[in-house]
Amino acid sequence: MTDALKQRVFEANMALPAYGLVTFTWGNVSGIDRKRGLVVIKPSGVEYEKMQATDMVVVNLRGEVVEGRYRPSSDTATHLELYARFPELGGIVHTHSTHATSWAQAGVAIPALGTTHADYFAGEIPCTRPLSRHEVNGEYELETGKVIAAALTGIDPLHMPGILVAQHGPFCWGATPEQAVHNAVVLEEVAKMAWITGSIRRNQTPMDDYLMHKHFSRKHGPDAYYGQK
Amino acid sequence: MTDALKQRVFEANMALPAYGLVTFTWGNVSGIDRKRGLVVIKPSGVEYEKMQATDMVVVNLRGEVVEGRYRPSSDTATHLELYARFPELGGIVHTHSTHATSWAQAGVAIPALGTTHADYFAGEIPCTRPLSRHEVNGEYELETGKVIAAALTGIDPLHMPGILVAQHGPFCWGATPEQAVHNAVVLEEVAKMAWITGSIRRNQTPMDDYLMHKHFSRKHGPDAYYGQK
Amino acid sequence: MTDALKQRVFEANMALPAYGLVTFTWGNVSGIDRKRGLVVIKPSGVEYEKMQATDMVVVNLRGEVVEGRYRPSSDTATHLELYARFPELGGIVHTHSTHATSWAQAGVAIPALGTTHADYFAGEIPCTRPLSRHEVNGEYELETGKVIAAALTGIDPLHMPGILVAQHGPFCWGATPEQAVHNAVVLEEVAKMAWITGSIRRNQTPMDDYLMHKHFSRKHGPDAYYGQK
Amino acid sequence: MTDALKQRVFEANMALPAYGLVTFTWGNVSGIDRKRGLVVIKPSGVEYEKMQATDMVVVNLRGEVVEGRYRPSSDTATHLELYARFPELGGIVHTHSTHATSWAQAGVAIPALGTTHADYFAGEIPCTRPLSRHEVNGEYELETGKVIAAALTGIDPLHMPGILVAQHGPFCWGATPEQAVHNAVVLEEVAKMAWITGSIRRNQTPMDDYLMHKHFSRKHGPDAYYGQK
């Protein structure tokens, strides 16, 4: 079973450069096997061109390496914190994709401006508060996970499958590693469009809330009618 | 005859990712056989990489599936409304292409700023009004078609072969599915240039109307002299 | 001899889509054989994917087709006017490349902001005045050539191997068709950088004139020392 | 030994077009063999498509050609000055990459806005002062090296592995030619993100200094824990 998840997480990682979301090794995907309490994640700093499925690292929920010859991603503690807080999550992605990272650097939430956004994100995409000096100098990656979780208070994470970490970049997630990558692609495209929209018309107001809910529910939930049954 | 149209509509759909106009499944093309009263359209939510000509869905003018194992595009009612209103149309395209969608999100018509625009669009490219809550919560896709038609009042649709739906994205059309796709490519490029132009010079005035008419008529109508006879 | 020039002009035309300078058929290259008084130019509206060297059209200096089964580019009269005015020119290119066209639509000359610009263009790249209604409705393409020539008054065209036609797009040239294409690539990149520079710092002042002359003369004229002897 | 360095410098040069950092011949990489006092550098103005490892030029520290049939890059004196000033450097890259050059043209240092920047550059990326008329008309390339060195006063060059030369473009470096190219890729991406960030939020304040130091030291120095041991 771990082999199957390693293969899936490997393929999800390889999708990041294929979709143009990462430069060099600036990204990682993980997946979780909730029954066995194991997380599979990209090894730290290994080049995509040379990476193989067998290089994926398996850690337990305390972050201890259970299987694999490499160190896990330096962001592993962030992933684990998010899995612990949100049982809905099956996969998590972190990238420094150009446009989402630019919004994170600006420290501004991405407003919901159109149906492309609303098809996946049921509201504006939050930007976390900056981490404090104490948090950065302490268990930095764990604190990053906590700050993300705080920004999601009261929000269903599958209705808001991504966030911006201020001064850093995006994290996305989904019910599976594949959906997490899918959402990372959407976030990058939505971030690009929101930048251009704001350049055409400064401070454009958000879309109508009834249109936003209509589009989100076209693709999600009991009344969804997009796609095949 | 339906097989031939299915092949053409299939190829027109496959041109969308080839031209960089769609991410994932965010687009659809249809074509109409006016004599038989049948419309061929992309199935809903099917991935381009796996799609085949035989997957195209045939519907009648009431939107009932006549042929095909898939559900038709969720935007089918919009296409049907446009075919009903405008007998000149032989093909329709909907995408979420980056720059055209950004103008739609800004809710701003694309001004005619140069000959690239005027070669295809005889004036500024309109943006519809936002749909009302009632329209969105009712027959949403049908109402979208009605709002587009309203924005085209008094305009020859082949002189204005595309439009922006506010808070949503572009629809384009033409005498054939192939021309509709061609116009979608042009709209995206014109939208990109208009954004950059506005960034170089805020609130640039539109081009001279006599230059606009000259260029449109170089390529269209009885006095056209661009291309081969 | 015409065959050799047809081959060169064909290859120069094919370089336009390869360099990303044209969408569909929106561009053309010509070359001149000054001894024989013949100009070879792209046929009008023929798709690049299907075009062959034997499709190039040969016209004399009055614009009459001397050889070839197609109509010449609709912009032929502009090319001929420029060849007549400037004996230094051996090749001419017209495109609607994205960033150069955006400056033309803004009606703003591209300021000399850095050495990339100065390596090829010895000063700001002019934008013509808009054509008058009379000029547009008369011999439009010929008048376009005249307006370009007027904007180059007192300028060595090989020191300023390109220009923006207001509300339209760029024309570039050189001693050969190959150099004309080279300059069209440079103009597009310089236009892109100037747009971004202006977005980082509004109304940036032009570069120091002594740096501009230094760089231009590093690559051009008797004191050039860039490249191989 | 020179053959091995020629091969490495050749491959580092070929990486520039592969990463989209150069148009035509607008870039060069060098590497130094400190023991033998030799620098290997790209020949001036030779096209990448035709270049071979044996075309690399070997010069001594006075800039005299020791080996090779071509003239060295016209920027050789800049490289030599930087190698002389900074014994830490093993490789140097110069490009006219789009976004870094745009910041150089704007004459503005790139502020540290996020962790992507901080992972490689321990502070804002400086922009030099413009060269004086006297410097440009004198030993221009040598003076360029001196102006870069002056802007790095008090800075560890491996903590700030790149700089913008005002009105010109970026120079980057590293302990090896490969690392220099790596840093040139990072600089271009950081420059692009900083431009977009500034467009989303004008005059965004720099990132927190403690976050910057945290990220730089995650990848550099005795406490680094990114990547494999």
Side-chain angles (χ1 to χ4, degrees):
Chain A
M1 274 185 67
T2 314
D3 279 355
L5 186 56
K6 282 162 90 170
Q7 182 65 32
R8 286 176 63 190
V9 170
F10 166 69
E11 290 179 8
N13 272 290
M14 295 307 289
L16 298 185
Y19 280 120
L21 297 183
V22 298
T23 300
F24 298 127
T25 60
W26 307 349
N28 47 69
V29 184
S30 71
I32 189 167
D33 179 336
R34 296 244 173 219
K35 287 189 185 164
R36 303 174 68 194
L38 297 176
V39 168
V40 177
I41 193 164
K42 181 178 174 295
S44 182
V46 171
E47 293 177 32
Y48 287 96
E49 302 83 56
K50 300 177 181 170
M51 205 163 67
Q52 297 187 305
T54 50
D55 296 335
M56 298 299 103
V57 184
V58 185
V59 299
N60 63 25
L61 299 182
R62 292 183 304 278
E64 296 156 349
V65 174
V66 168
E67 196 180 314
R69 61 200 166 101
Y70 286 119
R71 289 187 197 182
S73 165
S74 56
D75 297 311
T76 299
T78 311
H79 291 240
L80 293 177
E81 178 66 11
L82 294 174
Y83 285 128
R85 293 289 189 105
F86 302 108
E88 303 91 336
L89 306 193
I92 297 175
V93 175
H94 172 49
T95 78
H96 288 226
S97 68
T98 308
H99 297 89
T101 301
S102 296
W103 281 90
Q105 293 191 157
V108 178
I110 302 177
L113 296 171
T115 60
T116 319
H117 182 120
D119 279 340
Y120 295 88
F121 298 91
E124 73 172 19
I125 300 167
C127 185
T128 69
R129 67 165 171 80
L131 274 73
S132 70
R133 183 185 301 268
H134 186 73
E135 289 163 340
V136 167
N137 292 336
E139 294 190 74
Y140 170 57
E141 290 82 7
L142 172 63
E143 298 292 351
T144 299
K146 289 183 179 176
V147 165
I148 293 172
L152 290 171
T153 304
I155 296 175
D156 178 340
L158 295 184
H159 286 202
M160 185 52 61
I163 202 166
L164 309 172
V165 177
Q167 306 180 17
H168 188 154
F171 280 80
C172 289
W173 44 79
T176 65
E178 295 80 8
Q179 286 185 19
V181 171
H182 191 102
N183 292 330
V185 174
V186 175
L187 173 56
E188 177 60 11
E189 181 63 15
V190 162
K192 184 176 185 183
M193 286 181 178
W195 162 54
I196 297 172
T197 302
S199 172
I200 293 169
R201 184 177 201 157
R202 281 268 160 203
N203 304 314
Q204 168 68 330
T205 51
M207 66 194 299
D208 294 318
D209 64 336
Y210 50 84
L211 183 62
M212 188 178 72
H213 294 303
K214 170 71 179 179
H215 264 265
F216 190 79
S217 62
R218 279 216 314 179
K219 287 206 173 183
H220 301 86
D223 298 331
Y225 60 94
Y226 181 90
Q228 304 301 323
K229 277 176 252 191
Chain B
M1 272 184 68
T2 313
D3 280 355
L5 186 57
K6 281 162 90 170
Q7 182 65 32
R8 287 176 61 191
V9 170
F10 166 69
E11 291 178 8
N13 271 291
M14 294 306 288
L16 297 185
Y19 280 119
L21 296 183
V22 298
T23 300
F24 297 128
T25 59
W26 306 349
N28 46 70
V29 185
S30 71
I32 190 167
D33 179 336
R34 296 249 173 216
K35 287 189 184 162
R36 304 175 68 194
L38 296 176
V39 168
V40 176
I41 193 163
K42 181 178 175 294
S44 181
V46 171
E47 293 176 32
Y48 287 96
E49 302 82 56
K50 301 178 180 169
M51 204 164 65
Q52 297 187 306
T54 50
D55 296 335
M56 299 299 104
V57 184
V58 185
V59 298
N60 64 24
L61 299 183
R62 292 183 304 278
E64 297 157 348
V65 174
V66 168
E67 195 180 315
R69 61 201 165 101
Y70 286 120
R71 289 187 197 182
S73 165
S74 56
D75 297 312
T76 299
T78 312
H79 291 239
L80 293 177
E81 177 65 11
L82 293 175
Y83 284 128
R85 294 289 190 104
F86 303 108
E88 303 90 334
L89 306 192
I92 297 174
V93 175
H94 172 51
T95 79
H96 288 226
S97 68
T98 308
H99 298 89
T101 301
S102 296
W103 281 90
Q105 292 190 159
V108 178
I110 302 177
L113 295 172
T115 60
T116 319
H117 182 120
D119 280 340
Y120 294 88
F121 298 90
E124 72 171 21
I125 299 167
C127 184
T128 69
R129 66 166 172 80
L131 275 72
S132 70
R133 183 184 300 267
H134 186 72
E135 287 164 341
V136 167
N137 291 336
E139 294 190 73
Y140 170 57
E141 290 82 6
L142 171 63
E143 298 292 350
T144 299
K146 289 184 178 176
V147 164
I148 293 172
L152 290 170
T153 304
I155 296 175
D156 178 340
L158 295 184
H159 286 202
M160 184 53 60
I163 203 166
L164 309 172
V165 177
Q167 305 180 17
H168 188 154
F171 280 79
C172 290
W173 44 79
T176 64
E178 295 81 5
Q179 286 184 20
V181 171
H182 190 101
N183 292 331
V185 174
V186 175
L187 173 57
E188 176 61 10
E189 181 63 16
V190 162
K192 184 176 184 183
M193 286 180 179
W195 163 54
I196 298 171
T197 302
S199 171
I200 294 169
R201 184 178 201 156
R202 281 268 160 202
N203 304 314
Q204 168 68 332
T205 51
M207 67 193 299
D208 294 316
D209 64 336
Y210 50 85
L211 182 63
M212 189 179 72
H213 294 304
K214 170 71 180 181
H215 263 265
F216 190 79
S217 63
R218 281 217 311 181
K219 287 206 173 183
H220 302 86
D223 299 330
Y225 60 94
Y226 181 92
Q228 305 301 323
K229 276 177 255 193
Chain C
M1 275 184 67
T2 314
D3 279 355
L5 186 56
K6 282 162 88 169
Q7 182 66 32
R8 287 176 62 192
V9 170
F10 166 69
E11 290 179 8
N13 271 290
M14 294 306 289
L16 298 185
Y19 280 119
L21 297 182
V22 299
T23 301
F24 296 127
T25 60
W26 307 349
N28 46 70
V29 185
S30 71
I32 190 167
D33 179 337
R34 295 248 173 217
K35 285 188 185 164
R36 303 175 69 193
L38 297 176
V39 168
V40 175
I41 193 164
K42 181 179 175 295
S44 182
V46 171
E47 293 176 31
Y48 286 96
E49 302 82 57
K50 300 178 180 170
M51 204 164 65
Q52 297 187 306
T54 50
D55 296 335
M56 297 301 103
V57 184
V58 185
V59 298
N60 63 24
L61 300 182
R62 292 183 304 277
E64 295 157 350
V65 174
V66 168
E67 198 180 313
R69 61 202 165 100
Y70 285 120
R71 290 187 197 183
S73 164
S74 56
D75 297 312
T76 299
T78 311
H79 290 239
L80 293 177
E81 178 65 12
L82 294 175
Y83 284 129
R85 294 288 189 106
F86 302 110
E88 302 91 334
L89 306 191
I92 297 174
V93 175
H94 173 50
T95 79
H96 288 226
S97 67
T98 308
H99 298 88
T101 300
S102 295
W103 281 89
Q105 292 191 158
V108 178
I110 302 177
L113 295 172
T115 60
T116 319
H117 182 119
D119 280 340
Y120 294 87
F121 298 90
E124 73 171 22
I125 301 167
C127 185
T128 69
R129 67 166 172 78
L131 274 73
S132 70
R133 183 184 300 268
H134 186 73
E135 288 163 342
V136 167
N137 291 337
E139 295 190 72
Y140 170 57
E141 290 83 6
L142 172 62
E143 298 292 349
T144 299
K146 289 184 179 176
V147 164
I148 293 172
L152 290 170
T153 304
I155 296 176
D156 178 340
L158 295 185
H159 287 201
M160 186 51 62
I163 203 166
L164 309 172
V165 177
Q167 305 180 15
H168 188 154
F171 280 79
C172 289
W173 45 79
T176 64
E178 294 82 5
Q179 287 184 19
V181 171
H182 190 102
N183 292 330
V185 174
V186 175
L187 173 57
E188 176 61 11
E189 181 63 15
V190 162
K192 184 176 184 182
M193 286 180 180
W195 162 55
I196 298 171
T197 302
S199 171
I200 293 170
R201 184 178 200 156
R202 281 268 160 203
N203 304 313
Q204 167 69 332
T205 51
M207 66 193 300
D208 295 316
D209 63 336
Y210 51 84
L211 182 63
M212 189 178 72
H213 293 304
K214 170 71 179 180
H215 263 264
F216 190 78
S217 62
R218 281 217 312 182
K219 288 206 173 183
H220 302 86
D223 298 331
Y225 60 92
Y226 181 91
Q228 305 301 323
K229 278 177 254 192
Chain D
M1 274 184 67
T2 314
D3 280 356
L5 186 56
K6 282 162 88 169
Q7 182 65 33
R8 286 176 63 191
V9 170
F10 166 69
E11 289 179 9
N13 271 290
M14 295 306 289
L16 298 185
Y19 280 119
L21 297 183
V22 298
T23 301
F24 297 127
T25 60
W26 307 349
N28 45 70
V29 185
S30 70
I32 189 166
D33 179 337
R34 295 247 173 217
K35 287 188 184 163
R36 303 174 69 194
L38 297 176
V39 168
V40 176
I41 194 165
K42 181 179 174 294
S44 182
V46 171
E47 293 175 33
Y48 287 95
E49 302 84 55
K50 300 178 180 169
M51 205 163 66
Q52 298 188 305
T54 51
D55 296 336
M56 298 300 103
V57 184
V58 185
V59 298
N60 63 26
L61 299 183
R62 293 184 303 278
E64 296 157 349
V65 174
V66 168
E67 197 180 314
R69 63 201 164 99
Y70 285 119
R71 290 187 196 181
S73 163
S74 56
D75 297 311
T76 299
T78 311
H79 291 239
L80 293 177
E81 178 65 11
L82 293 175
Y83 284 129
R85 294 289 190 104
F86 303 109
E88 302 90 335
L89 306 193
I92 297 174
V93 175
H94 172 50
T95 78
H96 288 225
S97 68
T98 307
H99 298 89
T101 300
S102 296
W103 281 90
Q105 293 190 158
V108 177
I110 302 176
L113 296 172
T115 60
T116 319
H117 182 119
D119 280 339
Y120 295 87
F121 298 91
E124 73 171 20
I125 300 167
C127 185
T128 68
R129 67 165 172 80
L131 275 72
S132 70
R133 182 183 300 268
H134 186 73
E135 289 163 341
V136 167
N137 291 336
E139 293 190 74
Y140 170 57
E141 289 82 6
L142 171 62
E143 299 291 350
T144 299
K146 289 183 179 177
V147 164
I148 293 172
L152 290 171
T153 303
I155 296 176
D156 177 340
L158 295 185
H159 287 201
M160 186 51 61
I163 203 166
L164 309 172
V165 177
Q167 305 180 16
H168 188 153
F171 280 79
C172 289
W173 45 79
T176 63
E178 294 80 6
Q179 286 185 19
V181 170
H182 191 102
N183 292 330
V185 174
V186 175
L187 173 56
E188 176 60 12
E189 182 63 15
V190 162
K192 184 176 185 182
M193 286 180 179
W195 162 55
I196 297 171
T197 303
S199 172
I200 293 169
R201 183 178 201 155
R202 281 269 161 202
N203 304 313
Q204 167 68 332
T205 52
M207 66 194 300
D208 295 316
D209 63 336
Y210 51 85
L211 182 62
M212 188 177 73
H213 293 303
K214 171 71 180 182
H215 264 264
F216 190 78
S217 62
R218 280 216 313 180
K219 287 206 173 183
H220 301 86
D223 299 330
Y225 60 94
Y226 181 90
Q228 304 302 323
K229 279 177 249 190

